[in-house]
Amino acid sequence: MPLLEMKGVTQRFGGLQAVSDFNISLEERKLIALIGPNGAGKTTVFNLISGFYQPTEGQIIFDGQPTAGLRPHQVTARGIARTFQNIRLWHEMSVLNNIRIAQHHRLGYTIWDAFLRTGRFTKSEGNIDAIAWEMLEAMDLKDAAHELPRNLPYGLQRRVEIARAMSIRPKLLLLDEPAAGLNSADVDGLIKLIRWIHDEFDIAIWMIEHQMKVVMSLCEWIKVIDFGSTIAEGTPEEIQSNPVVIKAYPGDDTI
């Protein structure tokens, strides 16, 4: 059974059709990419999977169950985590608390438990702390645990965002342009990090990315969309030589 299926998914915003008849079957532990020119509809696809939008038409099935009607936090609880093109961290909270807060769906206690400091509250908070510190260590962020994210270099902020997503123990990690804004050294580090996450945690990863160095270094399969419609899909080698894809990226010799 595929981990994620999208069948005939279409998304309209008034008279604008952002995604048209989108289909994909993503197996467990795969590492794939969704690419296309700016405005092609890539982030809309991720927003549909994440529950930010409900498709106008079609069906999304994750881990054997439809996601129709689920809110974003419910999708997250099912095992889908994501990052965003523009880093979204709480800059007034420490790195540690940024990761802890991702566990809100696992709290398991009431406001009265928190007020009275019951055993249920203490146990739940202890588990959350343990998960957060484990992820900080795994992502080499322990030294930054008590720093505010805004005081960290951009590359480390991106790592914190990925660590926060990974702290929910996802089955599928969605990365929306993880290399955006990174310098060449940070991009090399990102490639190593994503490869390590994929191997270490044995999860599926689906990324949107404009830097072809990242895509071609990591991905087993690439799907290409333009104006909301699929124009090609295949291995990195097939995509690099596809004339339809090359035409969609005028003047870009990295394809």
Side-chain angles (χ1 to χ4, degrees), residues 212-230:
M212 290 301 107
K213 176 182 179 179
V214 177
V215 173
M216 298 302 173
S217 297
L218 291 170
C219 296
E220 308 162 66
W221 191 260
I222 301 170
K223 191 174 183 73
V224 191
I225 62 174
D226 194 14
F227 295 108
S229 298
T230 300

Side-chain angles (χ1 to χ4, degrees), residues 83-255:
T83 65
F84 295 85
Q85 178 180 352
N86 298 313
I87 295 175
R88 298 185 183 181
L89 296 172
W90 288 278
H91 288 287
E92 301 305 319
M93 293 183 179
S94 68
V95 168
L96 174 62
N97 283 334
N98 265 270
I99 295 179
R100 290 181 77 257
I101 205 169
Q103 309 301 313
H104 70 279
H105 65 287
R106 290 186 178 139
L107 288 180
Y109 61 78
T110 68
I111 189 171
W112 293 111
D113 289 314
F115 182 73
L116 297 171
R117 293 292 197 263
T118 64
R120 179 161 48 177
F121 168 82
T122 302
K123 181 180 179 180
S124 182
E125 286 293 310
N127 289 338
I128 289 170
D129 276 338
I131 291 170
W133 280 107
E134 179 185 348
M135 192 51 57
L136 285 169
E137 183 169 10
M139 303 288 279
D140 197 23
L141 288 167
K142 284 186 71 175
D143 290 343
H146 300 294
E147 293 284 347
L148 297 180
R150 66 185 180 191
N151 296 332
L152 299 177
Y154 193 82
L156 278 185
Q157 291 185 37
R158 182 69 73 183
R159 186 179 286 260
V160 171
E161 189 183 38
I162 295 173
R164 183 177 62 187
M166 286 300 301
S167 71
I168 73 161
R169 300 289 197 274
K171 298 176 183 177
L172 171 61
L173 175 62
L174 304 175
L175 300 174
D176 192 347
E177 296 196 35
L182 300 184
N183 59 40
S184 58
D186 285 338
V187 168
D188 290 339
L190 177 72
I191 291 171
K192 292 177 182 177
L193 176 63
I194 294 172
R195 185 177 289 121
W196 177 80
I197 290 172
H198 183 245
D199 294 341
E200 181 73 15
F201 294 93
D202 204 26
I203 63 170
I205 299 176
W206 190 2
M207 71 170 67
I208 293 170
E209 186 51 67
H210 282 290
Q211 292 209 32
M212 290 301 107
K213 176 182 179 179
V214 177
V215 173
M216 298 302 173
S217 297
L218 291 170
C219 296
E220 308 162 66
W221 191 260
I222 301 170
K223 191 174 183 73
V224 191
I225 62 174
D226 194 14
F227 295 108
S229 298
T230 300
I231 60 172
E233 54 187 308
T235 65
E237 293 76 17
E238 291 169 338
I239 294 302
Q240 279 184 309
S241 60
N242 188 303
V244 177
V245 177
I246 294 170
K247 185 178 179 180
Y249 283 86
D252 191 336
D253 61 1
T254 63
I255 301 297

